[in-house]
Amino acid sequence: MRIRLLTLLAAGVLGLSVLVAAPAGAVPATADDDSGFILSTTQPGGPGQAPMFVGNGYLAGRQPFDGQGFAQVQLPGRTEPLPTQSQVHGFYAVAVPFTPPGLPPSIPVERRAALPAWSTLSYNDGSGAYSLSSGQVDNYLQRLDMRTGTLTTQVSWTSPGGHAVDLAYDVTPDRVHRRAAMVRLRLVPHFDGPVTITDLLDGQAVELATSQGTSHRGNTQWVKLSSVGLGMTATVASTVIPPKGAKVRPAQTSDPLTAGQDVRFRVKSGQTYEVTKAVGVAVSADSTDPATTAIGASKHEASLGYAGMRTGSDAAWDKLWQSDIVVSGDARLQRQVRSALFALLASVRDDTPWAPSPGGLSSDGYNGHVFWDSETWMYPSLLATEPAIAAESLQYRVDRLDAAYRYAADTGWSGARYPWESAHSGLEETPTWANTGLWEIHVSADISLAMWQYWLATGDTQWLASKGWPVLRGIADFWVSRATRNSDGSYSINTVIPPDEYVEKVNDSVYTNVAARDALRFATQAAALLGRHASPKWSRVADRLRILFDRTLGIHPEYAGYPGDAVKQADVTLLAYPWENPQPASVTEADLAYYVPRTDPLGPAMTDAINGVISSQLGLPGCPAFTFTRRSVDPFVRPPYEQYSESRVDGAFTFTTGAGGFLQEFLYGYTGFRWRGDRIVLDPSLPPQLTGITDSAVHWRGRVLRIEVGPEQTQVILLSGAAVTIQTPSGTQTLRSGGGLTLPTRRPDQTPTTNLARCHPTLATPATAEPPEAAADGTDITQWIGPTADATIQVELGQTVPLGSVTITRNPVTTFASTSGGKGVAMATKSAGERVEASVDGSSWRVVATVTAPTLRDDVAGDGQPTRYVRLVALDATDTVPLIVGELSVQRQ
């Protein structure tokens, strides 16, 4: 096998990077260079491995581990196989959606339809088509280059007939030409004889569409589609570029949704051959003649050739990566950050007015609908890094303003009411078995916040007048009509579902009311800026909306009558960020401490990103912000491409909502960056686990800044644009073009403490969804949970000291399980006991004490012996009574 791999290298088949094939059975690679831009695997479809998708922001396709084609992949924890779908913005059908068991079927709603799989370029030597499930597979390597949006698959394959060949597939959606993609196959045979390469537009992948015919002309073929129920049309075309002397003929297919063409030629051992297909896609949502458009796109792409296409596409990706987020001190976290950013960028672009769904373009997850996920979770990261793309995301809402007015009127309200789930029409597309479409109305305020943030970020008065103001005005009128006046003159918003979807039809949701209040004020401020009329009702209702507060507990109750139950996801904590509700830091901290232990860990991935941003903002002593960062990513990403799943066990995939929330920790959390109309706000901090975070290009009102957060100082460089005013905790300064500004970096971990364990390296056995850092980050808000009989948590003190006391604290409330119905239960802490052990070298341990009846605080006397390591060993822990450690504190004697 080594000889054949060297043949590929000599022929240039592997491109510029010299790669080393892993031996059979090797552990899957997570990266094969040090850049953090390459993710790879040497074990196709190994345990827990999920296939990657690539896209150009308009079209995308998930690719099987074979490197091309279509497959159904079974992932652990998922009840249904994951299809490698091909998606495009704007192609919708009307059909009955999935209904959970035991609920009445929904009426039909708009659902995004899937296209034929366009990447198939199948190799066959006459004894069977290439497949990882047949023949003999050696030297397998699949790698995603996020710098160029290219997925490359390399394999040495011996066919059932005994013929050996080296194959290398490249799948690259064209970032310049949004309707186009290319697939290249390079092969080096080790035999002489005939081969057939089949260019297939594979109808197996089609969902919710019917065939309107297939055709073939020369080297070009196409499939015409019509979406079920809605009748939208789409065309997928491909033009094959064969090797010299090869013959191209239509392939026989029995599926009316499939088109195929065969490329036949004879090969000689050791020579390199190349076959390329150029793909074109068009839909009636943005083309008056999808067939002509798609065929033209395919032929134009073919005229460029693969190398020509890559020249332009790579340059376009390079421009996007100028807004890179660089994380120093944690190589895997760097790859996770880049994978999250790539997932967003593969699903959006600056010439397509469409907002991303929770799965982006990776799948038809959530029917391809648009939720608050777009404005609250994905949009803020785009606004800071790619404002032109952010504008197109908002344009989706601007284009559907008339539909929002219609929806409000149809449901008995005034103004513009945006639906909870939106698709092509802009009307409510929530499946009728779910009540969220009836009562989860905060989405309209979320859209207002995004509109206002765009104004703060760009200062584009023309945009505000023509696009932002009409939306803000319409939403404000909706909130006035939706508010109910109380006998004391205050206003309530009743019968809603808050972001915590475990409750329904509650009154005065604190999130909904704060969001509605601010949406009303945004409209009033926009009117003043533009010299337009502001309804006096906007201010009257905003000033008198009930914002609940419990003075005894010092927190915001989630809604009127909230009993302290578990919540699904971030809700009240969102008041501090992104809404910046004016409240003392003590209230923000109290809300965080109250709701984190009550949040269901089996909820969606976004919650801990907010907790991380708020922890950074508060500067809580220790390093809980990094714990939240770990909690916001590690339990949710799937190997080998670090793609987000919606929950720890299942849900939408790839969950671009979670990716967007995660990125906000690095753009708004550790930097303290906040939008203002006349300045920007910075308040940088850094956890000890990292050595630096750099936001390479943050955009504000025509300026581009680089923010480099270091362990002691933060450098802010104005790369382009006019001078900018920067507000910091130490004062306000002016930064001029080409100049730099040095700010102190806050280090909450360096807050004085007698706890020798705080923020020191921790290890846990077994590895769990809860990061071990939670046991020594300075707060019992975060907790480490060990569910096995022999679970252990260990901390290295960084020095050898005579052991004084050891204290284990636990939060009085922790949520560590969900009921069978999917709703979390807030449970009083019931922890297994523990054995406290100490060591000098981390290998020889002595027992210091045994705690058989744990309480919320266990104080253990030390033995005064030299100690560098302390660990807790569970006493018969189980998944229902685990070892729970809120904080492990160690004192010197």
Side-chain angles (χ1 to χ4, degrees), residues 110-132:
E110 290 184 356
R111 299 171 58 189
R112 195 163 66 205
L115 303 172
W118 45 258
S119 68
T120 307
L121 205 53
S122 179
Y123 165 87
N124 195 324
D125 65 2
S127 67
Y130 154 67
S131 170
L132 295 177

Side-chain angles (χ1 to χ4, degrees), residues 234-298:
T235 298
V236 181
S238 66
T239 299
V240 69
I241 307 171
K244 185 177 180 180
K247 296 181 179 179
V248 180
R249 297 175 179 173
Q252 294 296 318
T253 62
S254 58
D255 183 355
L257 291 165
T258 298
Q261 51 187 347
D262 290 335
V263 182
R264 298 177 180 176
F265 53 100
R266 294 188 64 84
V267 297
K268 291 184 178 182
S269 180
Q271 293 193 12
T272 301
Y273 301 87
E274 180 172 309
V275 181
T276 304
K277 70 182 292 185
V279 178
V281 175
V283 299
S284 59
D286 53 29
S287 173
T288 57
D289 186 351
T292 300
T293 302
I295 295 167
S298 172

